[in-house]
Amino acid sequence: MPLVTTTEMFKKAYEGRYAVGAFNVNNMEIIQGIVEAARETRSPVILQVSAGARKYANASYLKKLVEAALIEAPEVDIALHLDHGDSFELCRAVIDDGFTSVMIDGSHLPYEENIALTRQVVDYAHARGVVVEAELGRLAGVEDAVKVDSKDATYTDPDQAVDFVNRTGVDSLAIAIGTSHGAYKFKGEPELDFERLKTITGKLPGFPLVLHGASTVIKEFVNMCNAYGGDIPGARGVPEDMLTEASNYGVCKINIDTDLRLAMTGAIRKHLMDHPSDFDPRKYLGVGRAAIKDMVIHKITRVLGSADKI
Ligand code: G3H
Ligand code: 13P
Ligand code: ZN
């Protein structure tokens, strides 16, 4: 089956109160691990490529790897998405290259500029059958968000979200309710602003929301990295039950990168320490690929609820 857009995926996810995982990819083993997990669990999946991943792997290589995934797993609904597109030109390039979904991230811009840039991408994308995700509110600065005042300054404003969606025609919206990127998300107890999420959903019924920075930073893998020569002290992510809860309130796409990085790195670190004479990349990258697959199966079956939805 060819690549799909996220339109049908999100409609089913919204109605079924589950979320589709959007997993960051940048090499063959990661793509294979994710797609194999989706195939085994019969789950739809979003493969997302950041500007950095595109630069690292080269756009043509990534495209051909994803084409190979479509051949190997024809029964799986796969969308190919640009993660955190930062310009109209980048969005246009990947749309012309066959991506079925793009994110234009104008969240750092003044509000009217975010609207203008998003609108420009939406016009180009929709004319070519491609869907667009935008972002409103700022993910960074969770540590500032303890006080209500600063929450209001950085988290997504519900009324502004309605205005933004209406004026841009965007297909989904990434919101800020307390998550952040990377392995250090919370200084104290993890907390998401569910009241804000419910208010946004109430004002935008049926509209798919997106949660970035949604890795759990699972202790087992942080500990594995640290036990085998890594140095990632005090890492902390979003508890799994909070992510499952979010999918009850219109969150249809959950972005996961850090948990894949931790799983792959932990497994490879352990393998190389346990097998000091091994210098065959197929052995340790194979272990890394298996760790990616296991992690994605865990996410699909225990957190997202997207198994058996294709
Ligand atoms: O949200 C960002 C993703 O984790 C991708 O990170 O820009 O290092 O590829 P990256
Ligand atoms: P994590 O760093 O929590 O995995 O978030 C990834 C993400 O939001 C990619 O856009
Ligand atoms: Zn993100």
Side-chain angles (χ1 to χ4, degrees):
M1 161 185 338
L3 288 168
V4 298
T5 72
T6 51
T7 308
E8 273 305 304
M9 265 185 204
F10 288 168
K11 196 165 176 287
K12 281 169 70 179
Y14 198 101
E15 283 163 9
R17 291 173 169 249
Y18 62 90
V20 180
F23 300 99
N24 286 75
V25 300
N26 56 57
N27 72 12
M28 183 182 78
E29 284 77 10
I30 295 174
I31 293 174
Q32 288 176 333
I34 296 166
V35 172
E36 190 55 21
R39 203 180 59 74
E40 266 186 36
T41 54
R42 302 193 52 76
S43 168
V45 74
I46 299 166
L47 301 178
Q48 57 184 11
V49 175
S50 69
R54 195 164 175 266
K55 197 168 163 205
Y56 168 77
N58 171 308
S60 325
Y61 279 96
L62 278 181
K63 187 179 172 185
K64 292 295 171 192
L65 287 169
V66 173
E67 282 175 15
L70 296 172
I71 293 169
E72 294 300 320
E75 72 276 41
V76 181
D77 293 340
I78 303 177
L80 181 57
H81 173 78
L82 172 69
D83 191 27
H84 293 284
D86 61 354
S87 67
F88 171 75
E89 290 71 25
L90 176 57
C91 292
R92 182 174 57 192
V94 304
I95 290 168
D96 292 349
D97 209 22
F99 279 48
T100 52
S101 174
V102 294
M103 176 191 193
I104 178 68
D105 183 357
S107 59
H108 55 286
L109 297 172
Y111 183 60
E112 290 298 331
E113 286 177 37
N114 189 0
I115 288 188
L117 178 60
T118 302
R119 180 78 244 173
Q120 189 187 12
V121 173
V122 166
D123 286 345
Y124 190 83
H126 283 185
R128 289 154 184 84
V130 172
V131 291
V132 181
E133 171 188 327
E135 180 167 325
L136 191 61
R138 295 236 290 278
L139 254 64
V142 248
E143 59 276 10
D144 306 332
V146 183
K147 291 200 197 95
V148 175
D149 285 1
S150 50
K151 263 190 185 178
D152 279 338
T154 55
Y155 287 11
T156 307
D157 177 79
D159 290 320
Q160 209 174 47
V162 176
D163 183 61
F164 187 89
V165 167
N166 288 337
R167 288 173 63 193
T168 58
V170 77
D171 302 281
S172 61
L173 185 68
I175 52 161
I177 57 165
T179 63
S180 63
H181 293 106
Y184 296 93
K185 299 188 192 297
F186 301 101
K187 278 193 176 151
E189 281 307 300
E191 195 190 321
L192 298 187
D193 192 343
F194 278 101
E195 285 314 309
R196 188 176 297 262
L197 173 61
K198 288 177 198 172
T199 307
I200 295 170
T201 306
K203 287 175 185 280
L204 288 168
F207 186 81
L209 302 174
V210 179
L211 211 53
H212 281 247
S215 278
T216 294
V217 190
I218 299 170
K219 287 256 174 317
E220 179 190 346
F221 294 96
V222 176
N223 293 345
M224 196 186 290
C225 288
N226 289 336
Y228 292 94
D231 185 17
I232 328 169
R236 182 169 241 187
V238 185
E240 291 181 341
D241 58 340
M242 288 191 187
L243 299 169
T244 307
E245 172 81 355
S247 65
N248 287 323
Y249 301 108
V251 171
C252 296
K253 174 174 178 271
I254 289 192
N255 282 17
I256 299 166
D257 187 4
T258 298
D259 279 339
L260 299 185
R261 296 182 186 197
L262 289 169
M264 188 169 200
T265 304
I268 291 175
R269 276 191 179 283
K270 180 175 185 323
H271 174 84
L272 290 175
M273 291 279 263
D274 288 347
H275 303 86
S277 61
D278 179 15
F279 59 93
D280 182 345
R282 292 170 298 185
K283 296 263 172 57
Y284 57 82
L285 292 178
V287 166
R289 177 173 61 190
I292 294 278
K293 179 179 169 184
D294 289 348
M295 176 62 77
V296 175
I297 289 178
H298 171 79
K299 295 286 180 187
I300 287 171
T301 57
R302 308 302 283 263
V303 182
L304 303 167
S306 65
D308 294 317
K309 306 292 188 195
I310 55 173

